[in-house]
Every structure is written in C-alpha cells, then in structure tokens.
Amino acid sequence: MAWDFETEPEFQAKLDWADEFVRAEVEPLDLLWEHETFTPRDETKRKILEPLKDEVRRQGLWATHLGPELGGQGHGQLELALLNEILGRSPWAPHVFGCQAPDTGNAEIIAHFGTPEQKERYLRPLLEGELFSSYSMTEPQAGADPTRFTTRAVRDGDGWVISGWKYFSSNAKTASFLIVMAVTDPDVSAYKGMSMFLVPTGTPGIDIVRNVGLYGEPVNDGFHALIHYDNVRVPAESLLGGEGRAFAVAQTRLGGGRIHHAMRTIGLAQKALDMMCERALSRETQGSRLADKQFVQGYIADSYAQLIQFRLFVLYTAWEIDKYKDYQKVRKDIATAKVVMPTVLHDIAWRAMQVHGALGVTNEMPFFRMIHGAGVLGLADGPTEVHKVTVAKQVLRNYQPSDDMWPTEWLPKKLDAARERFAQYLEHEVGNL
C-alpha cells in the first residue's frame, strides 16, 4: 500500500527555485505589461524575456509537459500540477516557462498527431516561443456543442476549402496559425465526420471580423476573435490527425487543458487567500484586528477548506492521468475539477475583496480580475453545466436501479432480513426469557 504526500527532494528543490524565480523575476512583468502576454515581442521585451527563458531552460523546467525530443522533460501531470500551481499566480509565468494556454494544448496535439513536417513547421517555433497559435473550434450559433457546427471543409483537387464562422478563437489576432475544426462528412455523426486543420493566419479568405474583448477591455480590441472563413483553401497536408478524427484530437487537447487550468487556478486562489490573511492581520477596526473578527475568521476558514479540498482533488486527478495514461478513463474527475474550479476561485477572491474593504473593489487590487476570470473559467472548454451532466452520467454508471418497489436501504425490509438471518439466535434468546 503506497500513500505519499511528499514530493521527491530533487523535484521539490526545482519547485522552490521556481517559486522564488516567479516572485522575484516574473511577477514584476505582470505590472509592466499586464495585457500584453500575447502581443508580438518587441526589442525591449525580448531583451528581458529571453534571459529569463534561458534560465528556465538551464533549470530543466522549460515546456516540461513535452518529451525530451521536443525540448521538454516529459513530466507527468502530477509534477505539472505542482509546477503550474506556482505559475498560476502570474499571467507572464507560463510564457517564461514555455507552457502558456492555449499554446500548450495546441503543442500537445501537434506533438501527438502531427506529421514530421507539421512538427517542424508549427511545433518547434511554438515551443521556442517564437510565435503564438489559436484553437478555432466554437461557433456563434452553437457555442461549444460540436453537433451543431456548420463550418465545412470540402475536398477540392489535392486540397480542402474551408467555409464558415468561428467564435471566441482566442489569440487569433496575434497567432501565426489556427487549428480549425470543421465538418468534412455531414452524412455521418459529428463524432466521426469532423476533422482538424492547421491553417496559417495569412491564408487568403481568413477574415477576423471582430476581436471580442472581456469586461473592461476596449471594444474590438480584445483577444477572442469572430472569424469568417471565406473559401479558405489549404493543401492536403494541413489535415491534423487524419480525416474524421477531430474528436480524438480534441479530447487529447481538452482533457489536458482542463486539468492544467485547474492547476493554475490553485495558485491564483492561494494568492487571494494570502492577501486576505495579510490584510486581516494588518488592519484594525472597532478596537481589534480584522483577524480577531469572527466573520473574517469564517472567511479564512471557509477559503482554506475550499482550497485544500480542491488542491488535493486536482493532485489526485493528475495522479490518475499519470497512472492510466488515458484521459477518457479519468473523464469523470477531469470534468469534476472543471466544475469546482470557478466556484473556488470566485468565492476566495470575493472574500478577499470584502476583507480589503473599499480598496478591494478598486483597480489597485486584482480581485475583480480574479472574479471575472472565474466567470471565464466557468465557460472556457465547455460550460460548467455541461460538465455537471458529464459527471452525473459517469457517476450513475456505477449504480443499478432497485429491483424492488422499495429502496435497497429501506429499513423495514432490512430489519426483516436481519431477523431472518439471526432467527435461531433470536428464538433462543426469547426462550430463555
């Protein structure tokens, strides 16, 4: 029997280094270039970022989700969870460590399904941080429901022609290429009739109609594109993973992506809890510290309980992925982590905001950004409600309906069964009275 809640000393030393490195060297970038993580690198940014990336490489922590043949360490999900917990505190940290979303998920599927030529053209520069990518899947009329997608890719000679609309294609405006999910065979189910394509963003016919922003961002200056694919012609070698295999590609990407989001959320929620506790110890009102007020103590206790439960569950799910090497087998727990994640971040950030009073709602503190981020997490990679349905269906598979009019645990029936089982003893006992 093997239960262990400790990390190997060698990897813990790497985590300790990453923790201090992110705090001292990376988090200042969040203040300088808060909304510029996916903008092209100018000379100033390169001079600052490249030495940081080089140091991460020297520590063996660059793109650790990928194997050594691609410049990573091939770390399992459990090690990634512990590292991403640190990186989640900082928007810039994943970029410095070569594991920013959505590029990590996109890199993973190209590494898994791509041809040697596709890996050379798209994957290697992506891993080097020389370019960005975009995952172009959801559609305006369908959201994340692929059974309602209408974007088509039709064979034409030795290539394909893609036509249709995609929505919320994150980072498309600065991406060098898009991974586009399209219907290639409308006569079969969506699960067998869709394919993925690698499409350079400069391909004629790609029209970014709007760059949708999140709350607080200028209109048409966001990073989530509405794209019209107007007869976009691509060669046959643009097909990723084979015709009709879009769902196999998507599940590989989304399974890992969802657990990575959860890992980073732990670090962000921990940061909110840290700020709450510091404020509680620093601020006095009505004759005592906030830390001595029972309401605030309740906030801290509830936040710690939520966070530690979520953290342990995410680590357990990561362990399952490493053990089974099968995202489908762990589907229930990945979906559960996705369901719980937005609530944990929202609740802890909201309490931290309350403890900071008026200062907490200003743009001089990060709480509303965290709260808004929790809302985004509730929709990214599929709405929370859809994942709850998945969880329920998976849980119900382990149960059977009662074969009787009464529930299995109906006490009168169980009492009769107990009396029948021990009847000879009970009769003897009665006889001795």
Side-chain angles (χ1 to χ4, degrees), residues 82-105:
L82 296 168
L83 179 60
N84 273 283
E85 182 179 356
I86 295 169
L87 305 186
R89 303 196 311 250
S90 161
W92 271 99
H95 292 261
V96 174
F97 282 72
C99 59
Q100 70 277 4
D103 294 331
T104 46

Side-chain angles (χ1 to χ4, degrees), residues 111-345:
H112 192 79
F113 295 99
T115 65
E117 294 75 17
Q118 289 172 336
K119 292 177 183 178
E120 186 63 31
R121 179 176 181 181
Y122 297 105
L123 181 57
R124 291 201 178 277
L126 186 63
L127 295 178
E128 291 300 317
E130 297 174 7
L131 48 80
F132 303 120
S133 62
S134 176
Y135 190 62
S136 195
M137 175 181 171
T138 59
E139 298 189 3
Q141 81 290 345
D145 181 1
T147 64
R148 299 183 61 83
F149 287 179
T150 58
T151 296
R152 288 286 309 277
V154 179
R155 285 184 180 274
D156 185 42
D158 59 353
W160 297 83
V161 176
I162 303 173
S163 302
W165 291 78
K166 292 291 183 179
Y167 185 52
F168 230 74
S169 296
S170 301
N171 307 320
K173 75 176 183 180
T174 58
S176 295
F177 68 93
L178 306 116
I179 300 178
V180 184
M181 189 172 184
V183 177
T184 49
D185 186 351
D187 296 326
V188 299
S189 77
Y191 299 97
K192 295 181 179 179
M194 305 186 76
S195 305
M196 292 285 195
F197 296 88
L198 291 163
V199 185
T201 48
T203 305
I206 295 177
D207 178 20
I208 297 180
V209 179
R210 286 205 312 276
N211 286 300
V212 180
L214 302 177
Y215 179 78
E217 295 177 339
V219 174
N220 199 33
D221 194 30
F223 278 85
H224 307 283
L226 172 65
I227 305 177
H228 182 206
Y229 293 89
D230 187 7
N231 294 310
V232 177
R233 183 177 296 274
V234 296
E237 55 266 27
S238 296
L239 192 65
L240 176 63
E243 187 175 347
R245 298 203 65 206
F247 268 83
V249 176
Q251 286 306 313
T252 297
R253 181 190 185 278
L254 294 175
R258 286 164 184 152
I259 200 67
H260 295 164
H261 280 314
M263 296 166 182
R264 287 187 283 266
T265 300
I266 293 166
L268 197 56
Q270 180 67 59
K271 187 173 184 178
L273 177 57
D274 292 343
M275 289 188 286
M276 187 196 317
C277 292
E278 180 191 72
R279 181 68 167 182
L281 291 168
S282 305
R283 187 77 165 182
E284 290 193 8
T285 184
Q286 296 183 346
S288 65
R289 301 176 306 174
L290 289 177
D292 299 322
K293 311 295 185 186
Q294 289 184 335
F295 254 116
V296 175
Q297 291 170 350
Y299 282 168
I300 293 170
D302 288 343
S303 298
Y304 176 76
Q306 274 186 291
L307 181 58
I308 201 68
Q309 290 175 80
F310 180 55
R311 182 176 188 268
L312 288 172
F313 182 75
V314 171
L315 292 174
Y316 169 71
T317 304
W319 173 83
E320 285 185 296
I321 297 171
D322 288 345
K323 179 178 175 66
Y324 299 117
K325 303 291 191 295
D326 184 350
Y327 285 118
Q328 281 298 108
K329 190 175 181 68
V330 192
R331 183 183 180 192
K332 174 180 63 179
D333 289 343
I334 292 174
T336 301
K338 172 68 170 64
V339 166
V340 175
M341 170 173 52
T343 302
V344 171
L345 179 57

Side-chain angles (χ1 to χ4, degrees), residues 21-70:
F21 181 77
V22 169
R23 182 174 288 105
E25 304 293 340
V26 182
E27 289 184 3
L29 304 182
D30 301 333
L31 303 174
L32 292 176
W33 305 315
E34 181 181 1
H35 300 295
E36 299 180 40
T37 49
F38 284 97
T39 58
R41 309 307 192 217
D42 58 25
E43 184 178 355
T44 299
K45 289 188 179 69
R46 288 185 180 276
K47 286 181 178 179
I48 293 175
L49 290 172
E50 291 309 314
L52 297 179
K53 292 179 180 179
D54 289 341
E55 185 59 34
V56 171
R57 290 187 179 96
R58 279 192 288 272
Q59 294 290 330
L61 292 174
W62 175 263
T64 58
H65 57 294
L66 296 173
E69 73 281 3
L70 296 171

